[in-house]
Every structure is written in C-alpha cells, then in structure tokens.
Amino acid sequence: MEYDERLAHFRQTRLNPFDRGEEEDHPEGGKATQQHETSSELFSGTKTHSSDRTMDLGLAEDHFSRPVGSFVASDIEQLKLAIEECKKLILELPEHSERQKDTVVKLIHLRLKLQELKDPEEDEPNLRIILEHRFSKEKSKSVKQTCDKCSTIIWGLIQTWYTCTGCYYRCHSKCMNQITKPCVRSKVSHQSEYELSICPEIGLDRQDYRCAECRTPISLRGVPSEARQCDYTGQYYCSTCHWNDTAVVPARVIHNWEFEPRKVCRSSMRYLTLMMPRPVLKLKEINPLLFNFVEELVEIRKLRHDILLMKPYFITCKEAMEARLLLQLQDRQHFVENDDMYSLQDLIDISTGRLSCSLTEIHTTFAKHIKLDCERCQAKGFVCELCKEGDILFPFDSHTSVCHECSAVFHR
C-alpha cells in the first residue's frame, strides 16, 4: 500500500482521539481488529525520516489544538482510550525500534493533551487570595515541586501551579478550591511566640483518633492512615499533613541546649521557618540557668552589651553615619536595640560558633573606629575620675567600670 493511502487510512482509525465518525460506520466487534491491523500496517515498511515519522503519527493535522467550543467528557474518554491503545502497541512492537519510538512520541502528545483538558491554563489569574494566602502564579516550567494539598508532583511543564508569597504553600491550580489551611504568616504576625513545652503530647484518644489538622481518621497501626507525631506541637497528623520534615525545636534548645532536628508536620515546619529570624526569646526570663552552663552565651552577651555602648558614638559621628557601620548588623537588627532578646537562628549560630566569629569581627571594627580612626569619637572618651591617670577610657573596654547613675567611667 502506498504511503499516502496508509496515512489516510490511519487518520480514520480510533488513534485519532477526536474522530468519532468511524464509531457509527463500523460495528462494535470489528473496532479492535481493524485498528490493530491499521496500526501494524502503518508502522510496517522501511525506515522514514523524522519529518515522515511525524506524518505517520498523524501530528501533521491539528489534533492537539482546542477546537471551537469546549471539550466534553467524551473527549477525555476518547483520549484515555487512545492512550491505552498506544501503550498496548508499544509493548507489542520490537524494543528500541523506530516504530516503537514513533508510538512513544504519539503517547506523549496524547498525555499532554489529556492533561491540558483536565487542568486548563486559560484565564488563570496571576494572583489569588484564599484563606489569607496570597497565591502568585508560577512561571517556572522546569522546577519539580510537590503539591502541599494532594501530595503529588507538580509538573510545571504541563500544569498550572501557585505559591503563597507569605508561607510558600505550593499547590496545583485545580487543588486551590480544596485548601483548608490558613496562611501561617498571619499566625506569625498575630502570635509571635513559640510553644516552649517539649513535645506536649495529649494522646490520640484526645484527638478522637483523627488528624489534628484535616480530621482524617488515623491510627498507630497505619489503618486507615498512619499517625505521625509532630515533635513541636505534640499532636498526631496524617501522612498528607505530616511529610516527616525535620526542624530544630525551640523548646529543646532552650531547656536542653539540644539542636538535633526532629520530625514536625508541614504547618509547624512553615511556622518555624518563618519564626526562625524573629527575636522573641528572652533567655534570662525563660531559662536564666542556661548562661551558667553555656560559655558561648556569656561571650555573646558581653559582645552585644559592648555594641550597645558603642551605638551612641556612631549615632553622633558623621563619618560613622556615612560609612554606615551599624548596617553591618542589619541581619540582626535587634543586636543594636537590646542585649537580652534572641532568635532561634541566633541560638543555632551560637552553637555552631558562627555567631561568635562574626560578632567578634564586627566588635573589633567598631572599636577600631572609635579608639583609633575617628578623632571625634576619641574626644568623647573618659578619664578615670579616681586616679586621673592612664589612657583615655571607653565604657566598652574590658578593664573599665561604668557608673549606672552618671555614666562616668573608671578603672576596674
């Protein structure tokens, strides 16, 4: 049979998902036999070039653009049937053959079209607000993410998906109307505090054997769904709300100085991530004994106290303001406001030694400006009121003492 005749015969078979005319012209029993014969006949013969292969697949026609009017359920069913037939044909054809590769290409295009019908991209807004989430439409097509609602992979190439700009909640466009979790950033804004009890468990019976978030039935035996405990809240969650993410738990840090990441649920993971840089921990009130056992904390407290004593020099110094010395602490703005508030990130960096190194370097830079580089700042030094001897004193020197009433500086 000539090529053109074979191509015309192929386009009339069920492999074309939008051709319904043949269903009326042929009896039901002869469809599978006729289609198999047509497919075998189509792919028999000599090898063809890539352009000829495209013609053999029936892709030269506009099968995959949206026709006039909307698709109905039968269109999706036709595509599903065509996909199944392609899959069967791929298994029957010789492995790694050109005909098998052609059929795989056909299968890919059919699946793309089916996904387009299930998840249309037309008229999707760029910004949507749901339960205080501010969802922004993502443009990335290559990054593979996981939907926080249905826990399946987001295929950016063929699916529309959104990310909350506040808590980074990601989901398919088709899953957005099913979201029941409010944005965690709103909780951070209205309630900036940690749970400071270590894993405050209440038991599955108090939860009525249901997920603490979505109320799905759960049990420790995994029937109907596995119960997973969040080390931060102490409650149990289903596998959809708890992905076994790990995070440093603030209560364990403050009471035990323990930084081992623990398993937490998704909502706790987002909350802890957003709270990480916020200075909400007043250690001298929560656990003052911690300073007796952690030497690094004592060192950091002394450096922070010295920086607060240097701050008045910089505020009244033109050169320091032009050099923007205080901006060296812009990532830890609370260090130039007080010396007793800490963020969870501060404590983590203290345990690793990172904060001690960086803060010591900044302290040295500040002291060098005041004592050596700037004449204005040097002129604001003190002379010991008791002995009136020695070098000019500054309140942040290690060998000096400061009067809390008049702020006079003396040798220690």
Side-chain angles (χ1 to χ4, degrees), residues 12-230:
Q12 295 175 2
T13 62
R14 285 285 299 279
L15 281 178
N16 183 351
F18 304 114
D19 188 358
R20 304 180 193 144
E22 291 297 319
E23 295 180 6
E24 300 175 359
D25 297 338
H26 299 279
E28 184 68 20
K31 287 182 180 179
T33 305
Q34 179 186 5
Q35 179 174 342
H36 179 71
E37 292 175 355
T38 304
S39 302
S40 302
E41 182 182 6
L42 172 66
F43 291 112
S44 63
T46 58
K47 295 183 179 180
T48 59
H49 297 291
S50 59
S51 59
D52 294 337
R53 184 189 310 166
T54 304
M55 294 293 293
D56 279 346
L57 293 172
L59 301 183
E61 290 186 0
D62 192 12
H63 293 314
F64 304 104
S65 63
R66 185 180 293 275
V68 178
S70 59
F71 283 102
V72 292
S74 60
D75 298 310
I76 296 180
E77 293 302 321
Q78 291 285 337
L79 280 170
K80 289 182 178 179
L81 289 173
I83 288 173
E84 290 302 320
E85 290 161 358
C86 277
K87 289 165 66 176
K88 293 178 183 178
L89 187 58
I90 289 172
L91 296 176
E92 295 174 0
L93 291 171
E95 191 174 359
H96 303 302
S97 65
E98 289 296 321
R99 290 175 292 171
Q100 189 185 54
K101 293 178 182 178
D102 292 341
T103 313
V104 170
V105 174
K106 175 70 176 180
L107 178 62
I108 292 173
H109 281 273
L110 288 173
R111 281 181 167 173
L112 288 173
K113 189 61 182 179
L114 178 62
Q115 186 60 50
E116 180 184 345
L117 297 185
K118 288 184 175 181
D119 187 24
E121 296 188 6
E122 288 78 0
D123 301 325
E124 290 283 0
N126 291 326
L127 182 65
R128 298 177 64 178
I129 300 177
I130 300 175
L131 295 177
E132 299 188 19
H133 291 282
R134 293 182 62 86
F135 285 107
S136 176
K137 185 177 179 181
E138 292 291 345
K139 302 185 185 307
S140 175
K141 300 295 184 181
S142 59
V143 179
K144 187 172 69 173
Q145 302 288 351
T146 303
C147 178
D148 283 304
K149 178 58 186 176
C150 64
S151 303
T152 59
I153 294 176
I154 299 174
W155 298 100
L157 183 63
I158 59 178
Q159 293 177 318
T160 305
W161 59 292
Y162 287 80
T163 300
C164 176
T165 57
C167 65
Y168 308 107
Y169 186 99
R170 301 180 183 91
C171 70
H172 296 104
S173 173
K174 62 184 179 182
C175 296
M176 295 190 67
N177 294 330
Q178 305 172 21
I179 294 175
T180 57
K181 305 173 185 177
C183 183
V184 177
R185 183 169 288 278
S186 62
K187 180 182 177 181
V188 173
S189 302
H190 299 107
Q191 184 184 357
S192 295
E193 57 184 20
Y194 287 116
E195 171 60 60
L196 296 180
S197 299
I198 297 178
C199 195
E201 181 181 0
I202 61 174
L204 264 176
D205 57 337
R206 293 282 298 276
Q207 293 183 209
D208 196 24
Y209 292 90
R210 293 182 178 273
C211 173
E213 189 164 311
C214 67
R215 307 305 296 167
T216 299
I218 55 176
S219 71
L220 294 176
R221 294 180 298 175
V223 180
S225 180
E226 178 188 5
R228 299 178 179 179
Q229 187 179 32
C230 174

Side-chain angles (χ1 to χ4, degrees), residues 157-373:
L157 183 63
I158 59 178
Q159 293 177 318
T160 305
W161 59 292
Y162 287 80
T163 300
C164 176
T165 57
C167 65
Y168 308 107
Y169 186 99
R170 301 180 183 91
C171 70
H172 296 104
S173 173
K174 62 184 179 182
C175 296
M176 295 190 67
N177 294 330
Q178 305 172 21
I179 294 175
T180 57
K181 305 173 185 177
C183 183
V184 177
R185 183 169 288 278
S186 62
K187 180 182 177 181
V188 173
S189 302
H190 299 107
Q191 184 184 357
S192 295
E193 57 184 20
Y194 287 116
E195 171 60 60
L196 296 180
S197 299
I198 297 178
C199 195
E201 181 181 0
I202 61 174
L204 264 176
D205 57 337
R206 293 282 298 276
Q207 293 183 209
D208 196 24
Y209 292 90
R210 293 182 178 273
C211 173
E213 189 164 311
C214 67
R215 307 305 296 167
T216 299
I218 55 176
S219 71
L220 294 176
R221 294 180 298 175
V223 180
S225 180
E226 178 188 5
R228 299 178 179 179
Q229 187 179 32
C230 174
D231 196 82
Y232 175 69
T233 64
Q235 296 179 309
Y236 290 89
Y237 299 81
C238 65
S239 57
T240 301
C241 301
H242 193 315
W243 295 4
N244 286 330
D245 296 310
T246 58
V248 176
V249 179
R252 295 186 179 274
V253 173
I254 293 174
H255 297 296
N256 299 340
W257 199 243
E258 177 189 339
F259 295 88
E260 180 182 355
R262 301 280 179 158
K263 292 181 179 180
V264 295
C265 65
R266 292 294 292 172
S267 57
S268 296
M269 181 70 179
R270 293 192 191 90
Y271 183 76
L272 292 174
T273 301
L274 292 175
M275 286 287 291
M276 185 81 72
R278 289 179 172 256
V280 297
L281 299 172
K282 199 168 187 177
L283 292 185
K284 68 179 183 181
E285 292 184 0
I286 301 173
N287 186 10
L289 294 178
L290 199 59
F291 290 92
N292 296 337
F293 297 95
V294 183
E295 296 180 359
E296 294 86 351
L297 275 176
V298 179
E299 179 186 357
I300 295 299
R301 182 173 60 180
K302 177 63 170 66
L303 291 173
R304 291 184 62 177
H305 181 68
D306 289 349
I307 288 174
L308 288 179
L309 295 175
M310 296 177 185
K311 181 180 176 180
Y313 289 86
F314 297 144
I315 293 177
T316 57
C317 176
K318 182 179 179 181
E319 294 181 4
M321 295 298 289
E322 291 177 352
R324 300 189 177 186
L325 292 179
L326 289 177
L327 286 182
Q328 295 186 34
L329 289 169
Q330 60 181 346
D331 294 334
R332 306 181 197 267
Q333 192 63 33
H334 53 287
F335 278 17
V336 296
E337 296 173 354
N338 57 72
D339 62 353
D340 55 358
M341 300 299 293
Y342 293 83
S343 67
L344 183 59
Q345 186 64 59
D346 293 338
L347 301 182
I348 294 174
D349 290 343
I350 289 173
S351 69
T352 60
R354 176 187 171 191
L355 181 58
S356 178
C357 294
S358 62
L359 201 58
T360 300
E361 183 177 348
I362 292 174
H363 181 280
T364 302
T365 302
F366 286 1
K368 180 174 178 293
H369 170 84
I370 295 174
K371 301 175 70 172
L372 299 176
D373 298 341

